Amino acid sequence: MGSTFGVAVVGFGWMGRVHTQAYARVPHHFPQLSLRPELIAVADEVPGRAEEAAAQYGFATAARDWREVAADPRVRAVSVAAPNFLHREIGVAMAEAGKHLWIEKPVGLTADDARAVAGAVAKAGVQGTVGFNYRNAPAVSAARELIAAGEIGTVTHLRIRLFSDYAAHPQGALTWRYERERGGSGVLGDLASHGVDLARFLLGEIASLTADTAVFVPERARPTGATAGHARSTGGESGPVENEDYVSCLLRFASGARGVLEACRVSVGEQNNYGFEIHGTEGAVSWDFRRMGELGVSRGTSFQDQPVSTVYVGPGHGEYAAFQPGAANSMGYDDLKVVEAYNFLRSIAESTPYGATLEDAVRSAAALDAMARSAEHGTWVAPAE
């Protein structure tokens, strides 16, 4: 059994719960880990929410103010699952307090916010992990290895899609997510950030891009009380949706490959339709999050009329063996966050980054900022370093 290591969660909506459950499960799936997370503190500004979390999950302390977590010497690492507009302030403060940081994407409202958090983490000498969970799917790891090994030849182009309906209902509440001041970008930060991370994880750096955005549900009702997730609201005062529902983007990679990234939060009939198709000079590979353990693979020397096979991932691909003993046994979304928690704690234990880092968050945020500039001016834009 590893030594106990105090952790805290700031923000206890759905994602805060996912982080907490991941901490609880890490020792079961990764018994070799030298650190055993102990739930010390939970903070949420909504009255009663932190106390409920403490009672359900066993946190030693509940608070409404995240500053109490920053000042708690028992806490060695913090998960930040608060709204986007708080990421910079909380992330910088936790790093300056000497806490290791597991922070949800997009790490603030802009690339400058992400850079500020990354700089604070580097200056403090602590570890930082970011919630780009889709790269943790064993099939995505397998696709990356296949591409790197040249099994589909030289990559020519990819398409990444992230379609969902979580904001499609016209009675969806006008929460912070739809405000520029508190939510920043809309579907860019929510979904396209994952797409950028997958694109970089699989194909390398993005050299330039051009994008178009749109708002399809222009007004929503303000909530009359505290909300979590994607609650509905009726009867409240109507207000404008200030950030984008949809983005389409053309990508040029440093490698010379081309790409298309499309994301939408109001796609009626689509639930978590996330995935990619990547083509090379000798084959192709594709993945659908809803069939998370499968890859579509085409390789060989036929070129024309070359068939596609379904490959079921298993032990030997990513961290699959920590969850299932044989290929084609299903994994789920929460398992990806357990892998993320493992990478975070392993980074701390070995003083070496594993998984998505704050630098990945900065690169993703820079691409999102470039998309916003491109959509405004109608030009090709290079993401800022």
Side-chain angles (χ1 to χ4, degrees), residues 232-259:
R232 296 180 189 175
S233 179
T234 56
E237 179 184 354
S238 180
V241 172
E242 297 175 350
N243 50 33
E244 67 286 331
D245 290 326
Y246 170 86
V247 61
S248 60
C249 184
L250 299 179
L251 306 168
R252 292 174 178 166
F253 291 86
S255 66
R258 299 299 197 259

Side-chain angles (χ1 to χ4, degrees), residues 135-211:
R135 64 157 62 190
N136 298 325
V140 175
S141 296
R144 188 185 193 212
E145 293 174 4
L146 183 150
I147 292 166
E151 293 192 37
I152 63 169
T154 300
V155 172
T156 54
H157 60 99
L158 97 163
R159 182 169 71 95
I160 293 179
R161 69 187 184 283
L162 299 111
F163 297 147
S164 193
D165 65 357
Y166 65 79
H169 202 291
Q171 293 178 357
L174 188 68
T175 64
W176 60 268
R177 290 182 179 276
Y178 303 98
E179 300 174 0
R180 285 288 180 192
E181 185 175 351
R182 296 193 297 164
S185 62
V187 77
L188 290 182
D190 277 357
L191 295 180
S193 58
H194 283 298
V196 171
D197 184 66
L198 282 173
R200 292 184 58 251
F201 184 69
L202 294 164
L203 267 63
E205 297 302 333
I206 296 168
S208 62
L209 57 83
T210 186

Side-chain angles (χ1 to χ4, degrees), residues 14-15 17-19 21-22 25 104-105 131-134 136-137 194 272 274 289 292 323 330-340:
W14 169 64
M15 188 53 68
R17 291 178 181 271
V18 174
H19 277 233
Q21 290 162 180
R25 291 178 56 197
E104 274 304 314
K105 55 83 201 168
F132 290 129
N133 42 266
Y134 298 108
N136 298 325
H194 283 298
N272 299 326
Y274 310 152
F289 168 66
M292 194 165 68
F323 298 88
S330 298
M331 289 177 62
Y333 175 90
D334 285 16
D335 295 331
L336 304 185
K337 302 304 278 192
V338 176
V339 174
E340 205 165 274

